[in-house]
Amino acid sequence: MKAKVLAEIPKKYKRYGLPEDLFLKELEKIDYPDIVLVTSGMTYWYPGVLEVIKTIKERFPKSSVILGGVYASICPEHARRYSGADHIITGSDLSEFFKTISGKGFKPTINKIPESFSDFPMPDYEMYDSLEYIALRTTIGCPFRCSYCSIKTLCGDKFERKPPEKIVSEIKYLSDKGIKNLAFYDDALFFEPDKHIVPVLDEIKKQKLKMNIHSPNGLHAKFITPGLAKTMKESNFVMPRVSLETINKETQEKTGGKVNNENFLAACENLKAAGYKPGEISSYLMIGMPDQDFSEVEESIRFVHSQGAKVFLAEYSPIPDTKDWEKAEKIIPSDDPLWHNNSIFPLYPLSDWPKFQKLKDLALELNKSFLL
């Protein structure tokens, strides 16, 4: 059922995830837990979080439910008021988490509680029935402070990287298990590349690990030198996604100044020189940003296409505690986190939706040209 605050939005309202009956069957397979950890990747997914916690409470009424992750960190008061969780953990500092579970009498079975991101062991992938790909994070935090990004709320001021040798060891383990696709989910994977990604990719080449490497998060154009581009191609880095966001220089500076048109042009030239063909490079462009002109988006789409790169339009989401939020919260009609949903273009009236669709169609049409 569509939430009341979205009643006027002419789109179907859906919840993604396991059907309730399958979720209940999964719960029946496990022993009665002392603690249940719940998380959420997006603030506007909170209705599913509330439903999960309610179901867990009904199934395991004596268990303590701890809610963490993006929704709990960005909307902590909303989570405390509505989630039903026993404890709310905000941010990425897990000392609060270990303090909480210690207070419940739970004693970890490891000799030493990890003190940093790098100290944490690799996830237990054996719990999956089957895996075709792995999502891997080699860093936490980001050294940049873009106006639309909530990384400071989620991670504070820290930016920490795992040692390259530890990353390669994990990748080697996954390769030996038959995993063929690896997706890096770092926010700043290419920052100071010679200290981080270059040693990792060099070792992947040296050990002849046969994996396709993906980057769903945008890559920083200014770090893609001829040498790094060559290393990416040789280590089977597939469809590198280079962030540009807009070709408007004023907007580039306002949002953080991490990239400019010259950086992007150089990155594309370096990638093509390394062997990437037209259509094998892609770029993220923002759409639906505060006060963004539609002509700016169209010009950006055509500019990216002219460099032989596919366009991925990233729909803007207004997020509390970001630099952009002060302006955004005056526009969106409700403080309900459902209005953070980028797919409804919260900062624009419904009358503008055909304009957004026209830009999406343009990007799709130009992307198809690479298939001809």
Side-chain angles (χ1 to χ4, degrees), residues 275-319:
Y276 287 95
K277 299 177 182 179
E280 291 183 345
I281 306 167
S282 59
S283 178
Y284 283 117
L285 293 174
M286 297 285 277
I287 182 172
M289 298 174 71
D291 302 322
Q292 188 176 38
D293 191 89
F294 288 95
S295 62
E296 172 192 322
V297 181
E298 180 176 351
E299 291 169 10
S300 299
I301 292 171
R302 295 189 184 280
F303 175 79
V304 167
H305 178 263
S306 72
Q307 301 308 308
K310 288 185 175 180
V311 173
F312 285 85
L313 292 177
E315 298 167 344
Y316 178 86
S317 176
I319 306 173

Side-chain angles (χ1 to χ4, degrees), residues 118-282:
S118 296
D119 291 335
F120 272 84
M122 188 171 143
D124 185 2
Y125 295 111
E126 300 295 336
M127 298 181 70
Y128 286 92
D129 294 329
S130 63
L131 278 174
E132 296 181 359
Y133 68 92
I134 289 292
L136 189 67
R137 290 199 69 167
T138 67
T139 63
I140 189 168
C142 183
F144 298 96
R145 290 292 177 266
C146 298
S147 63
Y148 49 79
C149 182
S150 60
I151 195 69
K152 183 175 177 62
T153 300
L154 298 175
C155 300
D157 291 320
K158 66 182 169 184
F159 175 62
E160 185 181 348
R161 295 177 280 215
K162 287 185 180 180
E165 58 272 17
K166 184 171 184 178
I167 299 167
V168 173
S169 176
E170 293 183 7
I171 294 174
K172 175 68 165 57
Y173 170 84
L174 297 169
S175 178
D176 290 344
K177 288 288 186 180
I179 302 299
K180 299 299 183 184
N181 290 280
L182 168 67
F184 285 114
Y185 267 84
D186 300 84
D187 293 294
L189 182 66
F190 279 10
F191 181 69
E192 297 181 333
D194 290 340
K195 296 180 180 180
H196 189 66
I197 191 61
V198 170
V200 172
L201 296 181
D202 282 344
E203 198 61 28
I204 288 175
K205 290 191 299 177
K206 182 180 178 181
Q207 297 192 29
K208 298 180 179 179
L209 304 180
K210 302 297 183 182
M211 303 180 80
N212 298 315
I213 300 175
H214 307 267
S215 59
N217 287 357
L219 302 171
H220 290 79
K222 67 172 65 176
F223 300 120
I224 302 179
T225 61
L228 177 53
K230 183 173 182 291
T231 298
M232 291 166 65
K233 185 64 176 177
E234 292 174 348
S235 55
N236 210 28
F237 216 108
V238 180
M239 185 72 74
R241 300 189 181 191
V242 185
S243 285
L244 177 60
E245 296 162 8
T246 177
I247 62 170
N248 185 293
K249 294 183 178 181
E250 183 179 353
T251 305
Q252 289 170 352
E253 287 300 318
K254 283 183 178 179
T255 56
K258 71 177 182 183
V259 65
N260 57 41
N261 299 337
E262 290 72 25
N263 297 150
F264 180 78
L265 289 171
C268 288
E269 288 305 311
N270 293 337
L271 289 167
K272 287 184 282 190
Y276 287 95
K277 299 177 182 179
E280 291 183 345
I281 306 167
S282 59

